[in-house]
Amino acid sequence: MIFFIVLIILLLLFIILLFSTVHVSFLYTHKGDDDFLRIKVSLWKVISYSVVVPEVKVNTSERKIEAKKKSNGAAGVKKKKTKITVQTIKESYRKYSRLLVHVTGFYRILRRFLKKVTISQVRWDSRFGLGDAASTAVASGMVWALKGNALGMLSHFVSLKGVPSIQVIPVYRGTLTQTRLSCMISFKIGHAIVVMLQMLKHWRKISSSKSKKSKKYIAGGTSHV
């Protein structure tokens, strides 16, 4: 009897989890040579995990990017220094090259999932100056158009909730570049699980197809010996 009660409780918790919404808070700021990125994932406003990249340095002599990452979760604050070299980029490219060949199938699955994703509280503020009033004025109009087109394209893939706040402030004296972009991304766990299962099924289908072709090729090659 106790076993069935526990089973029912676990089943109810699983159903609640499927219909629960995950909120991802995104914040990116750029000021001169300083960049800041923070991504915070929260569930039920109780469970949260955040990743902060407060410092990014480009080392041109060694051809690498150094990023200091700080994560804050249930286990406490962890700091990790990541180095991205030319070799790691090449290895990553080789690793995902097979995936890119079959990107069409994965894109269709991802596109259906993105339609269920909601982005709200979009705020995109920029302040910049090119050192010349005329050039800054022309660039200001281009930045306005760029932001509008970017949000327009984004609305074709996800559901935008509310009216995005866009601001472009030209600085006619001096050279300046500042940007602040923040938003809230929300989706249900059930939808994420479904898309992962669909991608896994698609990947297995691809692997099975490759295996059959390989066996057919080997069989065809040995038959001529």
Side-chain angles (χ1 to χ4, degrees), residues 68-181:
K68 292 182 179 180
K69 181 179 70 174
K70 182 173 70 173
S71 59
N72 186 4
V77 178
K78 296 181 180 180
K79 292 184 178 180
K80 184 179 180 181
K81 191 174 182 180
T82 304
K83 292 184 178 180
I84 304 173
T85 63
V86 176
Q87 185 62 29
T88 57
I89 294 174
K90 289 181 179 179
E91 290 177 359
S92 298
Y93 175 78
R94 286 194 294 265
K95 182 178 180 181
Y96 293 103
S97 59
R98 294 182 181 179
L99 180 64
L100 293 176
V101 174
H102 305 277
V103 69
T104 304
F106 288 104
Y107 171 76
R108 291 175 181 172
I109 298 172
L110 186 61
R111 181 70 182 271
R112 289 195 294 266
F113 170 69
L114 290 177
K115 283 294 182 182
K116 303 179 184 299
V117 174
T118 301
I119 296 183
S120 59
Q121 303 176 24
V122 179
R123 184 166 183 175
W124 193 354
D125 301 330
S126 301
R127 297 178 74 248
F128 71 95
L130 302 179
D132 178 71
S135 301
T136 301
V138 173
S140 177
M142 295 177 63
V143 172
W144 271 108
L146 177 65
K147 288 187 176 185
N149 290 332
L151 292 175
M153 291 180 61
L154 183 64
S155 64
H156 288 290
F157 295 95
V158 300
S159 175
L160 282 178
K161 185 178 180 181
V163 180
S165 175
I166 304 176
Q167 191 174 27
V168 178
I169 302 176
V171 179
Y172 295 107
R173 294 183 180 180
T175 304
L176 177 69
T177 55
Q178 294 181 3
T179 299
R180 187 182 190 277
L181 174 62

